[in-house]
Amino acid sequence: MEIKDFKQGDEKAILELFEIVFKKPMSKKYWLWRFQENPAGKHLIKLMWHDNQLVGHYAVSPVFMEINNEKVLTALSMSTMTHPDFGGKGIFKDLSLSLYDLLENQLDVKSIWGFPNGNSHYGFIKNLEWKDIAVVHTLTMNTGRLIPTLSDSIQIVSDFNDNHETILKETMSQFEVKVDRNLAYLKWRYTNNPSNTYTIFESNVNGEKQFLVTKLYPSQTTPNKQDVFIMEYGVTNHNLLPEFIQHLKHYYNDTIENVAIWCNLHDAKHIQLEKLGFILQGKQTFLSARYCNLKTNDIADYRNWFISFGDSDVY
């Protein structure tokens, strides 16, 4: 077996391996969007070949972050795949160490981070020098307690502009560690996503603009219902949160069962969301990282992180 860098055309074998491993297809459009059209950089992938057969794959997605007021290049850990016929041969570890060597020693990537699932978490921590930062909890509110209220000040917009970037920077300003949610990132992550549909709700009260980005999922609790996930929230005026949530209930009518959000416990909005009726419920997710070339320990302290569903490639 031999480890090789990705070369153009290998995506065909990658998509075939993905379907074998995960029992579902990944579209080429999605692959191109994630690994070639990312404004932070193109594919960073290591592949394990057995003769002409692809048997292992590990990819990361470049992400610019702001850490202690410095813009740095990091990498979001993505899909790890091993062909079921080649399990137990250390392919995941070998690919990881090869890719990390490239990232850390040639590309000066400051940290490799992500949300390892139950299958990969042990391997990252035990064998690859990752450290746990937090277990990210989901806040959920059942919409049965909401009064659906149409807000004249909230409308749906079709795309992002410079104003949305500015609002997010203000929203995240108390945190030292956050993804650089600039305009190019927002357009790429949400508007140009070929596989998922997101909705941008924008509030304009006397020229003060705030916004949410949402996505629908099948309800985990009630058949034929949906849950609305708040992917991003550019909200600096906490008094607007009830209006936003009630408007979501009106907009989606009786089709939604729950509203869900990720919010750092140390975010000022967390207590406001609790007051509205959000509770700790639903999926818990590991947030972990390999610190690499960082000169600061800020990333190790979850109190410094601004976090949202949009940071994960799962949502």
Side-chain angles (χ1 to χ4, degrees):
M1 293 189 294
E2 183 180 5
I3 296 175
K4 296 182 180 180
D5 291 330
F6 169 86
K7 68 178 186 304
Q8 210 67 38
D10 286 342
E11 61 269 22
K12 181 177 184 297
I14 292 172
L15 296 176
E16 290 173 352
L17 180 61
F18 184 92
E19 190 160 4
I20 290 171
V21 172
F22 295 108
K23 311 299 183 186
K24 62 181 180 180
M26 176 192 291
S27 72
K28 186 174 181 179
K29 282 186 177 181
Y30 180 87
W31 188 91
L32 291 170
W33 167 78
R34 170 53 77 172
F35 294 107
Q36 286 200 176
E37 298 166 5
N38 184 342
K42 291 188 177 181
H43 36 68
L44 299 169
I45 302 170
K46 288 288 185 177
L47 302 172
M48 182 73 81
W49 295 89
H50 177 69
D51 297 328
N52 294 321
Q53 181 184 10
L54 180 63
V55 297
H57 166 280
Y58 184 24
V60 299
S61 186
V63 180
F64 282 112
M65 295 186 73
E66 290 183 29
I67 301 178
N68 200 20
N69 296 317
E70 180 183 1
K71 184 176 179 178
V72 300
L73 179 62
T74 71
L76 177 66
S77 184
M78 297 283 293
S79 52
T80 61
M81 300 184 289
T82 299
H83 193 288
D85 293 342
F86 289 81
K89 299 182 182 297
I91 289 176
F92 168 56
K93 182 178 180 180
D94 290 345
L95 283 174
S96 299
L97 293 176
S98 177
L99 182 55
Y100 295 169
D101 179 66
L102 168 68
L103 298 175
E104 297 170 8
N105 298 318
Q106 298 183 44
L107 301 179
D108 195 31
V109 167
K110 300 301 184 184
S111 177
I112 303 156
W113 59 283
F115 306 93
N117 61 31
N119 294 323
S120 60
H121 178 256
Y122 176 85
F124 279 122
I125 301 300
K126 181 69 175 178
N127 301 318
L128 298 174
E129 299 181 15
W130 282 52
K131 305 294 183 184
D132 282 323
I133 298 169
V135 174
V136 181
H137 61 253
T138 301
L139 283 168
T140 304
M141 180 177 63
N142 186 278
T143 61
R145 61 182 294 159
L146 288 175
I147 300 173
T149 306
L150 175 66
S151 172
D152 293 334
S153 64
I154 297 176
Q155 62 178 344
I156 291 176
V157 296
S158 60
D159 203 355
F160 298 95
N161 55 47
D162 291 333
N163 185 64
H164 296 104
E165 178 181 341
T166 300
I167 297 167
L168 273 176
K169 286 185 176 180
E170 293 176 2
T171 303
M172 300 186 296
S173 61
Q174 77 175 93
F175 296 96
E176 297 296 329
V177 179
K178 60 252 190 178
V179 170
D180 181 17
R181 290 165 166 79
N182 59 32
L183 181 58
Y185 169 87
L186 291 172
K187 286 178 173 286
W188 168 76
R189 178 65 178 85
Y190 298 110
T191 310
N192 300 334
N193 191 307
S195 299
N196 298 303
T197 301
Y198 302 96
T199 304
I200 310 166
F201 292 89
E202 183 180 81
S203 168
N204 187 344
V205 180
N206 298 324
E208 180 187 44
K209 293 186 177 180
Q210 316 272 274
F211 75 98
L212 300 178
V213 180
T214 66
K215 180 183 177 182
L216 291 176
Y217 283 91
S219 173
Q220 298 297 304
T221 59
T222 308
N224 303 318
K225 293 276 191 174
Q226 295 178 301
D227 294 339
V228 57
F229 279 41
I230 298 175
M231 301 292 300
E232 297 287 0
Y233 45 99
V235 180
T236 56
N237 182 352
H238 300 162
N239 293 327
L240 288 177
L241 281 171
E243 185 175 353
F244 264 120
I245 301 301
Q246 290 171 337
H247 184 84
L248 290 179
K249 171 68 172 177
H250 182 277
Y251 178 80
Y252 290 114
N253 203 353
D254 291 330
T255 62
I256 62 169
E257 182 72 9
N258 301 293
V259 180
I261 191 171
W262 272 359
C263 183
N264 191 319
L265 176 63
H266 305 281
D267 190 321
K269 282 185 292 298
H270 197 287
I271 196 69
Q272 300 295 328
L273 291 165
E274 290 181 54
K275 183 179 179 181
L276 287 174
F278 282 83
I279 60 174
L280 302 182
Q281 191 178 56
K283 184 179 179 182
Q284 299 184 83
T285 304
F286 294 112
L287 171 61
S288 312
R290 179 176 163 117
Y291 300 150
C292 308
N293 299 313
L294 283 175
K295 299 177 183 178
T296 174
N297 289 325
D298 287 347
I299 194 173
D301 189 342
Y302 185 54
R303 290 173 296 183
N304 295 324
W305 281 74
F306 180 88
I307 200 80
S308 78
F309 281 128
D311 292 328
S312 169
D313 64 298
V314 172
Y315 300 105

